[in-house]
Amino acid sequence: MAQVCEICGKGPQFGNNISHAHNITKRRWNVNLRPVKAKVEGGAKKLRVCTSCIKSGKVVKA
């Protein structure tokens, strides 16, 4: 399942781990997603939404 918010479309970001010895390995920062029962077009639907959308009020919980 993709790590993407269903409201804003925010996905994972990519970068590098850099150790003290300056060894570089690839890593990714995933989005903080939460399963939420939200009101969508009059009915309730389960969505995977990022916490920033929940905090900002873009999601109305059912």
Side-chain angles (χ1 to χ4, degrees), residues 19-46:
S19 69
H20 186 69
H22 217 271
N23 298 328
I24 297 173
T25 56
K26 286 286 192 185
R27 66 158 295 179
R28 72 188 243 169
W29 286 267
N30 284 325
V31 184
N32 191 3
L33 294 178
R34 295 285 171 251
V36 173
K37 213 172 187 182
K39 287 183 184 173
V40 179
E41 298 169 8
K45 188 179 175 187
K46 270 195 127 178

Side-chain angles (χ1 to χ4, degrees), residues 37-60:
K37 213 172 187 182
K39 287 183 184 173
V40 179
E41 298 169 8
K45 188 179 175 187
K46 270 195 127 178
L47 301 173
R48 293 181 77 215
V49 183
C50 66
T51 53
S52 57
C53 285
I54 295 170
K55 261 178 97 170
S56 65
K58 292 181 183 175
V59 179
V60 179

Side-chain angles (χ1 to χ4, degrees), residues 3-12 31 33 48 50 53 58:
Q3 282 279 328
V4 177
C5 174
E6 294 183 30
I7 300 294
C8 65
K10 186 187 290 184
V31 184
L33 294 178
R48 293 181 77 215
C50 66
C53 285
K58 292 181 183 175

